[in-house]
Amino acid sequence: MILKHSKDKRAVFDFEVDFLNGGGLQGQGFRLDIDGEEIADCDLSDAVVRDLRLLMVDGVRILNKQIIEERHKRCVAGSSADVNRLSVPTYVDLSHTVHEGLVTLKGFPAPVICDFLSREDSRKYYDADTSFQIGRIDMVANTGTYLDSPFHRFEYGKDLSELELASLVGLDAVVARVTEREGRAVGREVFLPLEVRGKAVLVETGWSRHWATEQYFEGHSFLTREAAEYLRDAGAVLVGIDSYNIDDTSDGARPVHTILLGAGIPIVEHMCRIEELPTSGFRFTAVPVKVKGMGTFPVRAFATLGAP
């Protein structure tokens, strides 16, 4: 069962900060997730100093405070503490279902799924009341929710068969939420508040709500070159997104694929249900079939909550 808060509260306020060495800082419309129905000004002041990591603060004034009902951004599926208290692991499937006729990329063929050996035909080979089905699928590798290995972009990069399981299974993970941002480009500033070193970074854009519609193919959110460079330099080990492409597809440059795959950082695209995850405190797994000479293949991507 996924933990959710039915009536999350947030404080919306302005603030002014004075520093001991002179100068000040102002903020308007600052928002903070809170527990309960109210929060004292002194606690808001502490949160501003703590979350912004301010030094030499002389005083903080809280102005125009309001308490509103709005979904928590850092605690969508329960807090990290709540998740870690789960007595047994809970799994969240982050993959779309692959089915006959599914179009993942515009202009690419849909998979053809059929019987290689039907149950009816198999009966001639086995005892009475014994039958089997052996399926067959014809599809391009970029179907459904899939993982890109370095070989997808680079001729001499690691292919699917060369990826270490340790780079794909049980990764510490964090979520960057960008559903309320204006514009399509997701910049490096989104990732600055997150500890991404050694972690899988999952980007929730909300675009998966358009899955299996014509709208899914146009106008999707994507990462900028600067964001990819930041994630690479900050030590992310995998990057996933619930969008049509992690790159801008309006031209042929594809800098995000180049930067991340060039650094050996796998990419998982076309994810879903990231909104059900907490911001941190969970593990992520996405394992493709071990195929030699291929750079991309569908995965069963999932999050594990409450894992030790």
Side-chain angles (χ1 to χ4, degrees), residues 59-113:
V60 180
R61 291 178 294 281
I62 303 299
L63 309 169
N64 304 318
K65 180 177 71 175
Q66 302 178 60
I67 305 299
I68 63 173
E69 185 174 309
E70 188 172 80
R71 190 186 76 164
H72 282 181
K73 300 299 179 290
R74 299 187 182 184
C75 194
V76 176
S79 68
S80 296
D82 290 337
V83 169
N84 290 332
R85 282 198 295 268
L86 292 174
S87 58
V88 295
T90 297
Y91 303 101
V92 181
D93 192 340
L94 305 174
S95 306
H96 291 291
T97 300
V98 175
H99 58 81
E100 174 87 14
L102 171 70
V103 175
T104 300
L105 298 175
K106 193 170 186 177
F108 283 49
V112 177
I113 303 172

Side-chain angles (χ1 to χ4, degrees), residues 6-297:
S6 57
K7 293 185 178 180
D8 290 340
K9 300 292 184 179
R10 305 185 84 198
V12 182
F13 58 96
D14 304 334
F15 65 84
E16 297 176 348
V17 180
D18 296 327
F19 294 102
L20 292 170
N21 56 349
L25 176 70
Q26 295 181 337
Q28 288 79 42
F30 201 79
R31 297 190 175 208
L32 181 73
D33 299 343
I34 64 173
D35 295 323
E37 301 292 324
E38 187 56 76
I39 184 170
D41 286 1
C42 61
D43 292 329
L44 286 180
S45 298
D46 290 347
V48 168
V49 175
R50 180 178 60 250
D51 288 3
L52 298 183
R53 300 180 182 181
L54 302 178
L55 302 177
M56 301 186 69
V57 172
D58 186 34
V60 180
R61 291 178 294 281
I62 303 299
L63 309 169
N64 304 318
K65 180 177 71 175
Q66 302 178 60
I67 305 299
I68 63 173
E69 185 174 309
E70 188 172 80
R71 190 186 76 164
H72 282 181
K73 300 299 179 290
R74 299 187 182 184
C75 194
V76 176
S79 68
S80 296
D82 290 337
V83 169
N84 290 332
R85 282 198 295 268
L86 292 174
S87 58
V88 295
T90 297
Y91 303 101
V92 181
D93 192 340
L94 305 174
S95 306
H96 291 291
T97 300
V98 175
H99 58 81
E100 174 87 14
L102 171 70
V103 175
T104 300
L105 298 175
K106 193 170 186 177
F108 283 49
V112 177
I113 303 172
C114 59
D115 291 335
F116 173 77
L117 181 67
S118 69
R119 297 186 188 282
E120 181 178 353
D121 290 339
S122 76
R123 289 190 176 95
K124 67 182 71 171
Y125 302 109
Y126 303 101
D127 293 342
D129 300 323
T130 300
S131 65
F132 295 91
Q133 187 267 358
I134 299 177
R136 179 171 180 169
I137 184 168
D138 180 0
M139 68 177 184
V140 296
N142 297 56
T143 296
T145 303
Y146 55 75
L147 178 141
D148 292 337
S149 71
F151 183 76
H152 176 56
R153 173 66 179 81
F154 299 99
E155 181 179 0
Y156 299 105
K158 285 187 177 182
D159 66 17
L160 297 171
S161 70
E162 296 170 316
L163 296 177
E164 298 290 338
L165 284 176
S167 69
L168 306 171
V169 177
L171 304 175
D172 286 334
V174 295
V175 173
R177 307 193 191 279
V178 298
T179 55
E180 297 181 6
R181 289 174 57 85
E182 294 184 2
R184 300 167 53 206
V186 179
R188 66 189 296 276
E189 67 278 359
V190 168
F191 304 100
L192 295 178
L194 302 175
E195 177 51 64
V196 303
R197 183 167 299 280
K199 293 181 171 60
V201 180
L202 310 183
V203 185
E204 180 202 349
T205 71
W207 199 249
S208 63
R209 68 186 182 276
H210 301 304
W211 177 253
T213 70
E214 282 296 318
Q215 187 171 351
Y216 188 73
F217 306 127
E218 306 292 341
H220 68 280
S221 298
F222 57 87
L223 302 194
T224 63
R225 174 188 294 273
E226 292 74 23
E229 290 173 340
Y230 175 80
L231 290 171
R232 177 198 63 195
D233 296 343
V237 297
L238 181 148
V239 181
I241 193 168
D242 61 353
S243 187
Y244 179 66
N245 199 300
I246 202 168
D247 262 305
D248 184 2
T249 57
S250 63
D251 57 34
R254 304 297 191 272
V256 179
H257 279 84
T258 299
I259 292 165
L260 295 181
L261 296 179
I265 301 171
I267 296 168
V268 180
E269 293 174 304
H270 309 283
M271 296 177 65
C272 61
R273 298 178 66 190
I274 298 178
E275 68 275 7
E276 298 182 21
L277 302 177
T279 299
S280 61
F282 67 96
R283 295 185 181 274
F284 177 74
T285 297
V287 183
V289 176
K290 189 176 181 181
V291 184
K292 186 68 178 175
M294 289 186 67
T296 298
F297 207 81

